[in-house]
Amino acid sequence: MKASSIVVMRDNGIANAGLIYVRPGSRKALNLLLDLAWRIQLFLHFPSVVPLVVPFAKPPFYSNSDDQSLLNDAITSAVLHNRTFLGSTARFEARNKYKNVGPEWSSLAESRQHHMQLKLLWKSATRARAVVPWQEGINNPTQYMTLPISKDDSVALAPRCLFAHLPFSTANAITHLTSARGFA
């Protein structure tokens, strides 16, 4: 994963926002992280801006509280070099399992545009392999995906085994939730 300055755990959508490894990398990687922080702070502290981003949004707003979808949109924006709020803010302000008002997401042009963005994102992905020392079969490399954010940098979508190596115990000071029962 040497070519990636940002490593996240692969999850539904794109990535899980629970744990992010970052090391010095490109300006694009820094911009991705700054964009993510900006999105979280903006929507958390100023939810009244949600309708400025998503014209059909009506209070109470839901989209401002989902850091994982905000991360996924920040990654999509960095890979496609075009800022998007479709997978987070727009999608979660439409009618969904958390919000029973608003237009049906699948009927919106924004839904189709988001689908096209994801197709472009996954088209740019490349497969890579890494050996995870604590995994059974040490010499058996684990496959993962990378998403390019610049000519020489990427976001690595690491497999769960990279994040679940700490055994779950109440005696541990730090335990990642993927190693705890019920959080797989």
Side-chain angles (χ1 to χ4, degrees), residues 6-113:
I6 300 174
V7 180
V8 293
M9 185 170 71
R10 177 78 173 96
D11 201 351
N12 291 334
I14 301 169
N16 186 301
L19 187 62
I20 302 171
Y21 292 122
V22 179
R23 61 176 163 232
S26 67
R27 182 72 185 168
K28 295 282 188 179
L30 177 60
N31 288 343
L32 187 158
L33 297 169
L34 290 171
D35 183 37
L36 174 61
W38 173 78
R39 289 168 188 256
I40 292 170
Q41 290 177 34
L42 177 69
F43 293 129
L44 187 60
H45 296 296
F46 305 100
S48 60
V49 303
V50 171
L52 299 175
V53 176
V54 180
F56 57 80
K58 304 280 185 256
F61 304 114
Y62 173 77
S63 64
N64 62 318
S65 64
D66 189 56
D67 59 343
Q68 182 163 322
S69 63
L70 292 170
L71 170 64
N72 291 337
D73 269 357
I75 291 171
T76 302
S77 297
V79 171
L80 301 181
H81 309 290
N82 186 20
R83 183 171 278 166
T84 183
F85 295 90
L86 295 178
S88 58
T89 314
R91 182 170 169 228
F92 285 102
E93 289 306 324
R95 186 176 308 147
N96 60 62
K97 67 181 181 179
Y98 306 106
K99 187 172 182 160
N100 62 3
V101 297
E104 191 67 41
W105 174 244
S106 62
S107 71
L108 296 171
E110 288 88 343
S111 173
R112 292 184 291 284
Q113 186 177 358

Side-chain angles (χ1 to χ4, degrees), residues 92-175:
F92 285 102
E93 289 306 324
R95 186 176 308 147
N96 60 62
K97 67 181 181 179
Y98 306 106
K99 187 172 182 160
N100 62 3
V101 297
E104 191 67 41
W105 174 244
S106 62
S107 71
L108 296 171
E110 288 88 343
S111 173
R112 292 184 291 284
Q113 186 177 358
H114 180 245
H115 179 73
M116 293 304 296
Q117 287 177 340
L118 290 178
K119 282 178 86 167
L120 289 172
L121 175 109
W122 292 117
K123 188 176 180 180
S124 71
T126 58
R127 293 186 187 277
R129 295 173 100 49
V131 174
V132 180
W134 52 85
Q135 187 178 1
E136 284 187 40
I138 291 175
N139 294 324
N140 188 10
T142 299
Q143 194 170 18
Y144 66 97
M145 302 293 286
T146 63
L147 297 168
I149 54 175
S150 72
K151 181 177 60 112
D152 57 352
D153 202 357
S154 62
V155 175
L157 304 177
R160 181 183 178 276
C161 64
L162 186 67
F163 293 86
H165 63 284
L166 297 173
F168 176 72
S169 167
T170 56
N172 289 347
I174 299 173
T175 297

